[in-house]
Amino acid sequence: MEVVIPFDDRRPKTRLAPVLDEPERRTFARTMLRDVVDTLRHIDREPTILANDNVDVDAAVVIDERPLTDAVNGVLDDGGEVAIIMADLALATPASLQRLFQASADVVLAPGLGGGTNAVVVSHPTFRVDYHGASIRDHRRIAREVDASRATIDSFRLALDIDEPSDLAELLLHGRGASVDWLRDRGFTVTTTDGRVGVER
Amino acid sequence: MEVVIPFDDRRPKTRLAPVLDEPERRTFARTMLRDVVDTLRHIDREPTILANDNVDVDAAVVIDERPLTDAVNGVLDDGGEVAIIMADLALATPASLQRLFQASADVVLAPGLGGGTNAVVVSHPTFRVDYHGASIRDHRRIAREVDASRATIDSFRLALDIDEPSDLAELLLHGRGASVDWLRDRGFTVTTTDGRVGVER
C-alpha cells in the first residue's frame, strides 16, 4: 500500500492565525507533519509527502503544484491501494492508524470534525476524492456512484485535525509527540470555562 | 452493570439557544435522550435516567436534585460496576457503545470534545467523578490517585456530545435516529464554507 500525506507548505494553517504568527504556523505545520510520519513508521508504513513546494522533512517528497483534490486524484490515477492521510493529524496514534489500515473495504473513510475526510484508504480503480465542502458526504456519494464498498473508522484521534485554536486544546489534552511539546514550549495552556476548553498563551 | 444517564430537564441545552428556542431545546434534549436509550437497548443494556426533575421518558427515572457530579457520585457510592453515559450522545451507535462496555479496566473513559468525559465505566470502589472544567484530565488524575487501571475509548461518535450549534452539523452529517429526523423536520441543513461545516435553518 502506498501511503501519501498531502502537505501545503505555502500557506499552512491559516486558521491558526489568531494564536500563531506566520513563521510559527509554518514551523508548527512541519512539526505536526513529522509527528504523523513518525507515527506511521511506528507501524512500519513509509509515507510519501505530496507537497506543493519543496519541504524540509526526512521522507520522500513528490511535488505537485495543483490544488489538493487534483494532486491526490493524480496519485489515485496510478492505481493500486493508496492511503491519503492528512498532515495535521497530530493526535493520531499507531493504534488509531492501525484501525484505518486493517479495515477491509474498497474505500475506508476516517471522517474529520466539521465534515472533512481526514484519512481515506482507496483500493477501488475508479473512486476519486473531492476535498471541497463537506467532503465526507461527497466521498460517501462517490463511493456509492462507483459501487465501491465502504467502511468508516470511528476515531476521535483521526477526526481531530488541528486547524483552529480550539483544536490546540485537544492536542494539549490528548497529544503526545513533538507538536504538543512545541505548543507547551511556547506557553500554551488549556483554559477551562463552563463549556468546552480553550487555550491561552 | 448498572447503566445511568444523567439528564438535566430544567435548563437543557442552553448553548443551543442561538438556534433553538427554549421549548425546542427541551424537546430536542428529550429526543436525544430517547435515542441514547434506544441505542443502549439495541445492545441489551437497560439504562436508568438520573434526572433533576421528573422527565417523560419510557425508562426508569431516579430523581436527584443535586448537581451532576454529586448525583453521579451518589450512584457510585452504592458500589458495583456502573456506566455513566451522557444524554446528548445522539451520534452513539450500538457498535461505539459496545466498545465502551467491552473495554477492560477499572475505569474506562470516553473523552468528549472540549475536555469533557462523555462516558465512563467504573468498576473501582473509590473512583469518583468530577465534571467541572476539563473533566477528562481530572478523571485521569483521580484514576491515578486511587490506583485504578484505565482504558480510553477512541471514538468520534462518543466524543461528540451535541452541545453547540456546530455540533448539529455533525449530527446532520453522521446521525441516524429520531434526533436527526427532528432537526431535518425543523429545516436544519448543513452549510459549507472554506473551513468546517455549520448549520442553517
Side-chain angles (χ1 to χ4, degrees):
Chain A
M1 184 191 306
E2 190 175 3
V3 178
V4 174
I5 307 177
F7 186 70
D8 178 2
D9 199 44
R10 290 189 179 164
R11 298 182 67 242
K13 299 287 120 201
T14 47
R15 284 191 277 156
L16 289 175
V19 295
L20 293 174
D21 65 28
E22 201 277 337
E24 287 175 328
R25 295 201 298 278
R26 188 171 297 275
T27 303
F28 182 56
R30 290 183 186 189
T31 306
M32 291 201 290
L33 172 64
R34 289 190 192 105
D35 272 347
V36 175
V37 170
D38 285 349
T39 305
L40 284 163
R41 286 182 178 151
H42 259 95
I43 52 172
D44 297 321
R45 303 282 178 178
E46 183 58 42
T48 299
I49 316 304
L50 180 66
N52 54 6
D53 212 336
N54 209 359
V55 53
D56 175 28
V57 60
D58 170 33
V61 176
V62 169
I63 296 181
D64 190 326
E65 299 194 340
R66 291 179 289 177
L68 175 63
T69 293
D70 297 332
V72 168
N73 284 334
V75 176
L76 295 178
D77 285 341
D78 294 337
E81 193 174 22
V82 181
I84 311 291
I85 297 178
M86 292 299 135
D88 55 0
L89 298 188
L91 283 168
T93 52
S96 57
L97 287 171
Q98 281 288 28
R99 288 171 59 204
L100 179 79
F101 292 124
Q102 285 168 356
S104 170
D106 295 336
V107 176
V108 180
L109 295 166
L113 196 69
T117 305
N118 285 352
V120 54
V121 181
V122 181
S123 51
H124 186 281
T126 56
F127 179 88
R128 292 296 178 271
V129 297
D130 179 353
Y131 285 108
H132 304 103
S135 68
I136 193 72
R137 200 166 49 179
D138 295 324
H139 290 149
R140 290 179 192 142
R141 175 184 49 77
I142 295 166
R144 271 196 308 273
E145 286 170 359
V146 301
D147 208 19
S149 65
R150 181 162 57 83
T152 302
I153 305 302
D154 173 26
S155 166
F156 177 64
R157 291 187 170 278
L158 299 185
L160 255 151
D161 47 332
I162 308 298
D163 264 333
E164 303 186 353
S166 63
D167 303 330
L168 300 182
E170 306 293 345
L171 190 52
L172 288 165
L173 281 172
H174 301 289
R176 326 162 196 186
S179 311
V180 66
D181 291 343
W182 186 91
L183 282 181
R184 289 206 182 99
D185 286 348
R186 267 136 207 92
F188 282 93
T189 57
V190 171
T191 58
T192 58
T193 58
D194 276 353
R196 289 175 177 157
V197 296
V199 284
E200 66 180 10
R201 191 176 184 181
Chain B
M1 183 191 305
E2 190 175 2
V3 178
V4 174
I5 306 176
F7 187 71
D8 177 2
D9 200 45
R10 289 190 180 163
R11 297 183 67 244
K13 299 288 118 199
T14 48
R15 283 192 277 155
L16 289 175
V19 293
L20 293 173
D21 66 26
E22 200 278 336
E24 286 175 328
R25 295 200 298 278
R26 186 172 298 275
T27 302
F28 183 56
R30 290 184 186 188
T31 305
M32 291 200 291
L33 172 64
R34 289 192 192 104
D35 272 347
V36 175
V37 170
D38 285 348
T39 306
L40 284 163
R41 286 183 179 151
H42 260 93
I43 53 171
D44 298 320
R45 303 283 177 178
E46 182 57 42
T48 299
I49 316 303
L50 180 67
N52 55 5
D53 211 337
N54 209 359
V55 53
D56 174 29
V57 61
D58 169 33
V61 176
V62 170
I63 295 180
D64 190 325
E65 299 194 341
R66 291 178 291 177
L68 175 63
T69 293
D70 297 333
V72 168
N73 284 334
V75 175
L76 295 178
D77 286 342
D78 294 337
E81 193 174 20
V82 181
I84 311 292
I85 296 177
M86 291 300 135
D88 54 2
L89 297 188
L91 283 168
T93 52
S96 57
L97 288 171
Q98 281 288 28
R99 288 172 58 204
L100 180 77
F101 292 124
Q102 285 168 356
S104 167
D106 295 336
V107 176
V108 180
L109 296 167
L113 196 69
T117 305
N118 285 352
V120 53
V121 181
V122 181
S123 50
H124 186 282
T126 56
F127 178 88
R128 292 297 178 270
V129 296
D130 180 352
Y131 284 108
H132 305 104
S135 68
I136 193 72
R137 200 164 51 178
D138 294 325
H139 290 148
R140 290 178 192 143
R141 175 185 49 77
I142 296 165
R144 272 195 307 274
E145 285 171 0
V146 302
D147 209 19
S149 65
R150 181 162 57 83
T152 302
I153 306 301
D154 173 25
S155 166
F156 176 66
R157 292 188 169 278
L158 299 185
L160 255 152
D161 48 331
I162 307 298
D163 264 332
E164 303 186 353
S166 64
D167 303 330
L168 301 182
E170 305 293 347
L171 190 51
L172 287 166
L173 281 172
H174 302 290
R176 325 162 198 187
S179 312
V180 67
D181 291 343
W182 187 91
L183 282 181
R184 289 206 181 101
D185 287 348
R186 266 135 209 92
F188 282 93
T189 56
V190 171
T191 58
T192 58
T193 59
D194 275 354
R196 288 175 176 157
V197 296
V199 284
E200 65 181 9
R201 191 177 184 179

